[in-house]
Amino acid sequence: RITNMDTLVALSTGIAYLFSVFNMVYEDFLLQRGLHAHVYFEAAAVIIAFILLGKLLEERAKGNTSSAIKKLMGLQSKTVTLVLESGGEEVVPIDQVKIGDRVLVKPGEKIAVDGMVVYGNSYVDESMLTGEPVPVAKLHGEKVFAGTINQKGSFQFDASKVGKQTLLAQIIKMVQDAQGS
């Protein structure tokens, strides 16, 4: 019950339709005044068809964006392996990771949060960020990002961004914002 573009289209096509019906039923009314009785049925129909086509294309684009968001969310890990101060390991849900926690990443695992490599080295598939199919070598002091996939070696890194601060979460938020606008 608010006005928008549809209100303008409905008003204009409705008036054109009613005017055309009037001219068809009372065609002598305008002819007696020296005017031709035009009808605009086809113009109203074409305008409505164009608007419906535009809405269909918009919904299709939103659907594609929604599937892209689902795929991006699928890149997020559910659990991480934390390295304890005692030297042991503990698997915890991702929402329990805090900034500064030391995270262990084994071959084939997804990196759960953003951070900086402190021990070990490996190759990481960052194609979801860069589009490059070639894995990138990660050595001591280099940044790693959530959603990327560890390839060969294992390494430990200190978490620097968790939750909604990660690069992957920011990408998902930007896609959702773009979909909304």
Side-chain angles (χ1 to χ4, degrees), residues 3 5 19 31 49 82 94 113 118 130 151 163 167 174 176:
T3 59
M5 182 189 81
F19 181 73
L31 287 175
L82 291 182
I94 191 170
V113 294
V118 292
T130 63
Q151 297 287 310
L167 185 60
M174 284 190 285
Q176 288 172 333

Side-chain angles (χ1 to χ4, degrees), residues 6-34:
D6 296 331
T7 307
L8 179 63
V9 171
L11 190 63
S12 62
T13 56
I15 290 171
Y17 180 81
L18 291 175
F19 181 73
S20 298
V21 168
F22 178 82
N23 284 343
M24 203 170 72
V25 174
Y26 302 106
E27 62 182 281
D28 290 340
F29 181 78
L30 290 177
L31 287 175
Q32 290 172 354
R33 289 160 177 77

Side-chain angles (χ1 to χ4, degrees), residues 10-158:
L11 190 63
S12 62
T13 56
I15 290 171
Y17 180 81
L18 291 175
F19 181 73
S20 298
V21 168
F22 178 82
N23 284 343
M24 203 170 72
V25 174
Y26 302 106
E27 62 182 281
D28 290 340
F29 181 78
L30 290 177
L31 287 175
Q32 290 172 354
R33 289 160 177 77
L35 301 170
H36 294 289
H38 296 285
V39 292
Y40 300 102
F41 294 115
E42 71 284 348
V46 168
I47 289 170
I48 291 173
F50 276 134
I51 296 297
L52 290 176
L53 177 65
K55 287 189 178 291
L56 174 74
L57 293 174
E58 180 182 1
E59 287 302 316
R60 183 177 286 171
K62 282 185 180 179
N64 291 342
T65 308
S66 295
S67 67
I69 290 172
K70 287 177 186 171
K71 287 178 184 176
L72 284 171
M73 288 181 171
L75 293 172
Q76 294 176 318
S77 296
K78 306 289 184 242
T79 60
V80 297
T81 305
L82 291 182
V83 178
L84 304 174
E85 291 180 17
S86 63
E89 299 173 4
E90 181 183 7
V91 176
V92 298
I94 191 170
D95 57 351
Q96 291 183 7
V97 178
K98 298 180 216 72
I99 294 175
D101 284 349
R102 181 143 309 164
V103 179
L104 173 66
V105 181
K106 297 175 184 170
E109 288 184 344
K110 291 179 186 173
I111 298 171
V113 294
D114 294 358
M116 185 88 59
V117 176
V118 292
Y119 179 77
N121 56 50
S122 182
Y123 285 89
V124 175
D125 179 4
E126 292 185 341
S127 60
M128 59 82 61
L129 293 175
T130 63
E132 288 292 324
V134 179
V136 179
K138 294 296 178 178
L139 307 169
H140 178 77
E142 294 197 32
K143 291 182 180 181
V144 291
F145 302 99
T148 57
I149 301 170
N150 185 24
Q151 297 287 310
K152 299 189 178 188
S154 63
F155 60 90
Q156 296 176 12
F157 69 94
D158 288 338

